[in-house]
């Protein structure tokens, strides 16, 4: 997915993107229906890689789109120039003009969220690297198929194993819900949300909330909306929600715990903060502190396995 100032707009006014959280497009964009929940994605600014993630949710809604067209041939493939007059130049017929022909069309808008697994890899690969990994040589679309197997091998060669692991761990957990999709009414029309979720994940979260309350195990009280049910083991490998296998974690703490940057010494039951987080006071002050949640024996056992995985060795991956 192309993002940032270099993203092509096809004659429209642009898109609302937040590179590390969500990406927007509409039904006029090539490949607009080929993006699915559970897809691994790579974002770039057409000059360098920005990061990788996995799509968790795609929301759609009806909308309108303002198109600027060439007055001679009608294409939206026009280039707006900032320092040259006339202001516009058509990339198809080469016509130059001061004012574009404006058209308003009905579209379906899409917004994909992927912030849970977002891993920044800014500049790890350049534009030539990424273009060579496209499935279709010469593809110029904003969203284009990527040879993920080859891309993965390149990331591993560049010591980005943690990014590969995070993406891989998210993909097996995503499945279509058995119940029908919800359609939620809004003042401007409707919004249909398509989500793939871990089977039983909502019940798992509800059970943890009931037992542990609105408390992040590492940082203390927090609004329920920012708390996630964090597994103390790899759900992707185990495939089930183990009894006493989770803690309520604030979203940022959840990600850092999954990466092993935060861990719990199972012998002293004290928080261990990785040296990589020492520069951030909000995390550094957690070091050697106690959890705010009382632990069951089963949770301590799972934390010991997490400790052995992330503290027994010192990985050098990004």
């Amino acid at each position: 997915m192309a993002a940032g100032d270099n993203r092509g707009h096809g004659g429209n006014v642009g898109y609302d993107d937040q590179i590390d959280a969500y990406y927007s497009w509409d039904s006029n964009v090539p490949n607009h229906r080929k993006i699915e929940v559970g897809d691994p994605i790579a974002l770039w600014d057409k000059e360098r890689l920005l990061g990788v993630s996995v799509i968790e949710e795609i929301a759609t809604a009806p909308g309108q789109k303002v198109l600027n067209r060439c007055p001679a041939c009608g294409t939206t493939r026009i280039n707006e120039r900032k320092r040259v007059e006339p202001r516009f130049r058509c990339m198809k017929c080469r016509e130059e003009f001061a004012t574009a022909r404006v058209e308003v069309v009905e579209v379906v808008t899409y917004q994909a969220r992927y912030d849970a697994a977002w891993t920044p890899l800014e500049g790890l690969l350049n534009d030539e690297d990424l273009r060579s990994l496209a499935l279709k040589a010469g593809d110029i679309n904003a969203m284009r198929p990527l040879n993920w197997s080859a891309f993965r091998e390149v990331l591993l060669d560049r010591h980005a194993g943690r990014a590969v692991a995070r993406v891989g761990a998210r993909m097996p957990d995503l499945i279509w819900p058995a119940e029908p999709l919800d359609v939620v009414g809004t003042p401007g029309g409707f919004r249909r949300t398509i989500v793939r979720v871990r089977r039983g994940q909502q019940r798992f979260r509800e059970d943890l909330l009931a037992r542990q309350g609105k408390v992040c195990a590492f940082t203390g009280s927090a609004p329920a909306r920012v708390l996630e049910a964090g597994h103390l083991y790899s759900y992707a490998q185990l495939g089930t929600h183990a009894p006493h296998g989770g803690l309520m974690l604030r979203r940022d703490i959840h990600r850092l715990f999954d990466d092993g940057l935060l861990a719990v010494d199972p012998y002293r039951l004290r928080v261990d903060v990785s040296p990589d987080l020492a520069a951030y006071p909000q995390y550094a002050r957690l070091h050697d502190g106690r959890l705010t949640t009382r632990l069951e024996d089963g949770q301590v056992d799972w934390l010991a396995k997490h400790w052995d995985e992330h503290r027994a060795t010192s990985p050098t991956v990004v």
Side-chain angles (χ1 to χ4, degrees):
M1 292 176 165
D5 294 339
N6 288 337
R7 179 179 176 181
H9 298 149
N12 66 60
V13 296
Y15 297 96
D16 171 32
D17 296 334
Q18 183 177 322
I19 290 172
D20 61 352
Y22 60 84
Y23 189 90
S24 303
W25 70 97
D26 60 61
S27 51
N28 271 11
V29 174
N31 296 324
H32 68 274
R33 296 185 65 180
K34 294 183 178 180
I35 310 299
E36 298 183 358
V37 175
D39 282 346
I41 57 170
L43 267 71
W44 68 322
D45 61 4
K46 293 191 174 181
E47 295 180 0
R48 58 185 176 171
L49 177 67
L50 301 175
V52 296
S53 193
V54 177
I55 294 179
E56 303 169 74
E57 172 184 331
I58 299 178
T60 68
Q64 292 184 325
K65 182 176 183 177
V66 177
L67 297 178
N68 292 317
R69 295 188 179 276
C70 170
C73 70
T75 185
T76 58
R77 294 180 58 206
I78 61 177
N79 181 33
E80 183 175 1
R81 304 180 292 191
K82 297 181 179 179
R83 299 180 181 178
V84 179
E85 296 294 338
R87 178 182 172 189
F88 297 101
R89 182 171 187 266
C90 179
M91 298 170 63
K92 183 178 180 181
C93 71
R94 308 300 183 186
E95 178 80 6
E96 296 183 343
F97 46 95
T99 303
R101 175 162 61 86
V102 177
E103 178 184 359
V104 178
V105 298
E106 300 293 326
V107 296
V108 176
T109 64
Y110 298 82
Q111 186 178 88
R113 291 204 67 93
Y114 47 77
D115 47 320
W118 172 255
T119 306
L121 295 172
E122 190 168 316
L124 188 68
L125 303 179
N126 61 30
D127 62 331
E128 291 184 4
D129 295 329
L130 289 165
R131 292 179 197 280
S132 70
L133 294 168
L135 283 179
K136 301 177 181 178
D139 195 336
I140 62 172
N141 293 319
M143 301 186 296
R144 64 189 74 171
L146 183 70
N147 184 334
W148 190 262
S149 295
F151 178 63
R152 177 182 179 277
E153 293 304 313
V154 172
L155 292 185
L156 291 174
D157 288 342
R158 303 288 176 92
H159 307 293
R162 180 170 291 161
V164 171
R166 176 181 283 163
V167 169
R170 290 276 172 175
M171 291 170 62
D173 294 349
L174 300 170
I175 58 171
W176 288 113
E179 55 275 356
L181 298 174
D182 292 333
V183 179
V184 182
T186 62
F190 69 89
R191 180 178 180 181
R192 182 184 299 271
T193 303
I194 304 174
V195 188
R196 291 181 182 178
V197 297
R198 292 173 173 175
R199 189 178 300 279
Q201 177 72 8
Q202 182 61 31
R203 186 61 174 275
F204 182 62
R205 181 177 185 275
E206 291 171 356
D207 289 345
L208 284 181
L209 266 177
R211 292 202 308 268
Q212 301 174 15
K214 300 175 184 178
V215 177
C216 169
F218 283 75
T219 62
S221 297
R225 66 182 298 174
V226 304
L227 293 173
E228 297 182 340
H231 290 89
L232 304 182
Y233 52 88
S234 173
Y235 178 91
Q237 294 178 13
L238 195 61
T240 186
H241 302 286
H244 307 301
L247 288 172
M248 294 307 299
L249 301 174
R250 212 172 63 191
R251 181 164 227 181
D252 59 327
I253 298 295
H254 190 180
R255 290 183 62 178
L256 295 171
F257 179 83
D258 282 352
D259 287 345
L261 298 177
L262 289 174
V264 177
D265 184 333
Y267 306 102
R268 300 188 305 123
L269 295 183
R270 297 279 184 167
V271 175
D272 185 84
V273 178
S274 165
D276 293 342
L277 295 181
Y280 305 94
Q282 63 173 317
Y283 303 120
R285 64 172 173 258
L286 299 175
H287 187 70
D288 212 36
R290 292 189 180 277
L291 294 182
T292 62
T293 300
R294 183 176 178 178
L295 298 176
E296 303 284 348
D297 289 344
Q299 291 170 316
V300 176
D301 290 341
W302 286 117
L303 287 170
K305 291 180 172 62
H306 180 269
W307 177 268
D308 290 343
E309 178 183 357
H310 294 285
R311 292 296 183 269
T313 59
S314 299
T316 58
V317 295
V318 174

